[in-house]
């Protein structure tokens, strides 16, 4: 408030001195949104947009302090800004002053006396270092290109940094100069002779993400030339654009690095065969450790004594939702064995416990995202957590800390070292004061093939016994991305409970967390088995919850969920007052040939010209003649996962048939809507549409 008042006073004084012209040139700062619960006492979009987002806990080397990041929303800049926080041994937490200018990937130095992090404050993304109390920061690297990820060697004498470079360039200056030349060119013509063309939301510019070793001096600052550790590798580490430092690891003695990448040349786009490579920090050709496995090998982790290497190995090439197994072998990949041959879950985020006896991994299970520990000798698996979602974790000397969240609230840092987990932070307590966050009530029913399917029902905020409420049916994307008991900043059921709706969510066949066979069952069955589950789950939810008014309901979905909304429009449009489709699929054949993942055709067993009948049967555009229900269509132009033409095709079909419809275009967003103001406006469009078609929030 003081800062905002200062801007207003300054602008007023200048306007008085210049006859008021200053208002046209320098408008006053716009006030942020009113952060308060809805009229029903539930969560509002403004509350969710302005929340602090807690993430990435990291224990100090002595295990006494916890470093973590908090992303705050800068409403005026329409962006998020991250800062580093520390939980002290006495339990107090504080923001580190040196965070001004932005912090990402904050990591303790090996001696615990300083903190390294990424920041753009110098004009490009570089590695910086602050003292352990976070009072002052100095720039560590001044490389000609942006640093996207880094790790410190255990002795603190070198950095390994990730840089996007042209692999035919002899040095980093060449990459910098070529980027500048491209930007300055009058012509914008770009040519390509192989896939992929445009990963996620940007066109491929020919660069590769490579790992470089940078020596540090006694003061912890860069003191030498960056050395490419991936010379000759036509692959990316980390993967672009969303990879991170979990894709490479440094040996405990600091002499070697193991990284995951895909070296495929012209066949790169048509396989997901990632391999693990080992390279010396001093340089030399990388060696493939997992060439024999045609499926992805990922998430390398050295044992604390440096004698063993663990990793996750897929079992089938190009099968989305394929559950990896945990492998343990020698550091050169030899004598590897499957540690978890019979564990019917899909582990991720693998790492060793500090005593070397146990491996940790996270995995979806029955609608939760749990942390598990796996005995490194026997492979015995035990759940460490049983409820909610573990988003990140760290362990040193027996102390275990988690980033933990659930439907009932956003992520907090939790100590799970022994007994019941104990919260160490309480971010957003003031923002959520007086806000009702109804508990998700789990239920199961017999879905396709009579198999058990799990879902949730939420009562609306301000629920009154004996009243009936309109409902929204939230349909998840992926399709192999289940609803888990977590806190979403995109599709959060509490936004709809706060608006007075009952909410129903189903983990239909294809959802991970219920075994490999359950996940695989959707292959070649995109349009029938999940739809059957959704139909049966809706009927069970209605019959078991008298407060749901099934005559006033809308179905909402994004990505695959949007695909399913389009299919519902043609095959099951009876129950719905309205439909909402964000980034959904209209023409499956066109999607599979235009999306950024060329291997996704495996979901249909082959390309559209080989399996035309299957594509036609499960493509929503086949059933447009049956569409009757009003539909809201939302799409971003930078969405290369489900290109915007899919949304345009949907809207065009609706308009041609004379069906009430509305198209919401977000030109600067990708498959997700991430900018705070865009997200609030986008969410309000959805709430306005559903309210217009479902009527008053509650009826006797």
């Amino acid at each position: 408030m003081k800062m905002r008042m200062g801007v207003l006073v300054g602008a007023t004084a200048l306007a008085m001195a210049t006859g008021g012209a200053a208002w046209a040139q320098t408008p006053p700062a716009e006030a942020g949104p009113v952060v308060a619960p809805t009229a029903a006492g539930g969560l509002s979009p403004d509350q969710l947009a302005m929340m602090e987002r807690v993430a990435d806990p990291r224990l100090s080397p002595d295990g006494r302090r916890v470093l973590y990041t908090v992303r705050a929303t800068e409403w005026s800049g329409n962006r998020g800004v991250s800062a580093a926080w520390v939980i002290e041994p006495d339990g107090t937490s504080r923001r580190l002053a040196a965070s001004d200018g932005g912090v990402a990937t904050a990591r303790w130095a090996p001696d615990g006396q300083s903190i390294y992090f990424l920041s753009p404050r110098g004009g490009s993304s570089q590695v910086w270092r602050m003292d352990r109390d976070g009072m002052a920061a100095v720039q560590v690297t001044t490389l000609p290109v942006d640093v996207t990820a880094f790790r410190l060697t255990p002795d603190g004498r070198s950095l390994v940094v990730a840089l996007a470079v042209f692999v035919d360039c002899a040095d980093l200056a060449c990459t910098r100069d070529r980027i500048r030349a491209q930007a300055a060119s009058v012509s914008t013509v770009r040519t390509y002779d192989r896939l992929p063309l445009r990963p996620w939301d940007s066109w491929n510019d020919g660069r590769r993400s490579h790992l470089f070793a940078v020596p540090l001096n006694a003061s912890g600052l860069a003191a030498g030339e960056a050395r490419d550790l991936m010379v000759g590798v036509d692959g990316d580490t980390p993967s672009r654009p969303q990879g991170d430092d979990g894709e490479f690891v440094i040996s405990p003695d600091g002499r070697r690095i193991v990284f995951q990448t895909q070296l495929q040349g012209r066949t790169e786009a048509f396989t997901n065969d990632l391999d693990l490579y080992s390279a010396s920090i001093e340089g030399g050709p990388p060696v493939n450790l997992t060439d024999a496995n045609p499926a992805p090998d990922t998430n390398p982790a050295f044992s604390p004594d440096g004698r063993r290497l663990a990793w996750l190995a897929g079992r089938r090439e190009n099968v989305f939702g394929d559950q990896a197994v945990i492998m343990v072998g020698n550091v050169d990949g030899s004598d590897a064995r499957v540690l978890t041959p019979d564990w019917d879950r899909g582990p991720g985020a693998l790492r060793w416990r500090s005593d070397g006896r146990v491996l940790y991994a996270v995995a979806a299970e029955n609608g939760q995202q749990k942390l598990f520990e796996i005995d490194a000798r026997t492979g015995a698996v035990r759940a460490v957590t049983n409820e909610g979602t573990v988003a990140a974790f760290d362990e040193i000397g027996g102390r275990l800390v988690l980033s933990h969240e659930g439907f009932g609230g956003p992520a907090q840092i939790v100590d799970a070292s022994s007994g019941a987990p104990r919260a160490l932070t309480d971010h957003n307590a003031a923002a959520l004061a007086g806000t009702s966050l109804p508990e998700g009530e789990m239920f199961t029913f017999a879905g396709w093939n009579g198999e058990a399917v799990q879902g949730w029902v939420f009562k609306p905020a301000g629920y009154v016994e004996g009243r009936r409420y309109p409902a929204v049916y939230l349909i998840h994307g992926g399709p192999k991305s289940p609803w888990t008991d977590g806190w979403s900043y995109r599709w959060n059921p509490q936004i709809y409970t706060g608006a007075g709706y009952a909410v129903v969510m189903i983990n239909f066949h294809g959802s991970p967390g219920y075994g490999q066979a359950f996940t695989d069952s959707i292959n070649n069955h995109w349009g029938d088995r999940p739809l059957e589950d959704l139909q049966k789950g809706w009927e069970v939810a209605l019959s078991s919850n008298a407060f749901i008014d099934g005559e006033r309901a809308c179905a909402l979905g994004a990505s695959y969920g949007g695909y399913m909304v389009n299919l519902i429009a043609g095959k099951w449009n009876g129950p719905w007052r309205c439909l909402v489709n964000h980034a959904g699929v209209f023409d499956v054949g066109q999607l599979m040939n235009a999306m950024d993942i060329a291997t996704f055709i495996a979901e249909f067993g082959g390309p559209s010209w080989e399996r035309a009948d299957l594509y036609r049967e499960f493509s929503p555009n086949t059933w447009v003649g049956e569409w009757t229900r009003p539909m809201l269509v939302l799409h971003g132009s930078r969405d290369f996962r489900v290109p915007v033409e899919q949304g345009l095709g949907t809207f065009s079909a609706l308009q041609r048939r004379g069906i009430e419809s509305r198209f919401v275009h977000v030109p600067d967003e990708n498959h997700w809507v991430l900018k705070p103001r865009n997200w609030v406006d986008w969410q309000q469009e959805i709430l306005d549409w559903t309210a217009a078609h479902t009527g008053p929030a509650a009826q006797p």
Side-chain angles (χ1 to χ4, degrees), residues 184-406:
S185 175
V186 174
S187 174
T188 58
V189 173
R190 298 290 184 268
T191 60
Y192 302 85
D193 58 9
R194 74 184 203 190
L195 293 172
L197 294 179
R198 46 182 198 174
W200 190 242
D201 63 0
S202 60
W203 284 83
N204 196 335
D205 66 358
R207 286 183 286 169
R208 288 294 197 182
S209 181
H210 273 204
L211 299 173
F212 288 75
V214 179
L216 302 178
N217 61 22
S219 299
L221 306 180
E225 295 295 321
R227 181 173 56 256
D228 191 348
L229 302 178
M230 297 172 61
V231 173
V233 175
D234 187 16
D236 291 308
T237 304
S239 54
R240 302 174 70 195
Q242 296 169 330
D244 58 26
D245 59 353
E247 298 181 18
F248 61 98
V249 64
I250 302 170
S251 61
D253 63 9
R255 298 174 61 184
R256 300 201 68 80
I257 182 170
V258 172
F259 58 90
Q260 65 184 60
T261 195
Q262 185 174 313
L263 186 63
Q264 295 292 337
R266 287 187 173 275
T267 64
E268 173 190 359
F270 306 115
T271 178
N272 67 346
D273 181 15
L274 288 156
D275 283 309
L276 300 184
Y277 286 78
S278 176
S280 169
I281 292 289
E282 298 301 320
V287 177
N288 191 334
L289 305 181
T290 59
D291 189 44
N293 183 21
D297 295 285
T298 63
N299 210 153
F302 279 103
S303 62
D305 62 8
R307 298 173 59 188
R308 292 170 292 173
L309 185 71
W311 68 93
L312 301 177
R315 291 177 280 192
R316 295 170 294 175
E317 184 181 13
N318 294 345
V319 176
F320 287 88
D322 184 37
Q323 294 180 170
V325 293
I326 299 175
M327 304 291 295
V328 176
N330 296 327
V331 294
D332 63 357
S334 64
D335 294 330
R337 65 186 178 94
V338 178
L339 184 63
T340 55
D342 301 319
W343 188 28
D344 198 12
R345 295 293 180 264
L350 184 69
R351 64 171 296 167
W352 293 83
R353 198 169 69 187
S354 56
D355 62 7
R357 297 177 179 177
V358 162
L359 285 149
Y360 288 114
V362 296
E365 182 171 72
N366 299 328
Q368 318 294 325
Q369 182 81 358
K370 300 180 181 181
L371 178 68
F372 294 88
E373 60 179 28
I374 302 95
D375 188 290
R377 184 178 59 86
T378 67
V381 179
R382 183 184 74 87
V384 178
T385 63
N386 290 305
E387 296 181 348
T389 289
V390 174
F393 63 93
D394 196 17
E395 183 274 337
I396 288 179
R399 189 180 186 195
L400 175 65
V401 293
L402 318 173
S403 170
H404 189 266
E405 62 190 53

Side-chain angles (χ1 to χ4, degrees), residues 600-667:
F600 215 65
I601 63 170
E603 296 286 288
F604 278 73
S608 57
W609 55 89
E610 292 180 0
R611 311 210 71 191
D613 290 344
L614 184 65
Y615 278 82
R616 186 179 303 110
E617 172 67 18
F618 291 153
S619 189
N621 65 337
T622 302
W623 306 96
V624 169
E626 306 300 320
W627 288 10
T628 62
R629 294 295 185 247
M631 188 186 297
L632 175 67
V633 183
L634 311 99
H635 225 114
S637 276
R638 294 181 60 194
D639 186 350
F640 300 156
R641 182 60 46 90
V642 179
V644 68
E645 288 75 17
Q646 295 286 325
L648 294 172
T650 299
F651 184 64
S652 177
L654 290 160
Q655 291 282 298
R656 189 178 296 274
R657 284 188 47 76
I659 298 171
E660 181 188 356
S661 50
R662 181 178 177 85
F663 187 78
V664 177
H665 178 220
V666 195

Side-chain angles (χ1 to χ4, degrees), residues 23 56 482 498:
W23 287 111
D56 201 15

Side-chain angles (χ1 to χ4, degrees), residues 125-160:
S125 177
Q126 298 292 326
V127 180
W128 289 67
R129 192 194 71 201
M130 67 176 82
D131 61 278
R132 63 173 286 170
D133 294 321
M135 300 307 296
V138 296
Q139 189 167 346
V140 174
T141 62
T142 54
L143 297 166
V145 296
D146 286 347
V147 180
T148 58
F150 74 93
R151 277 186 182 269
L152 281 154
T153 55
D155 59 10
R157 298 172 64 179
S158 297
L159 277 172
V160 173

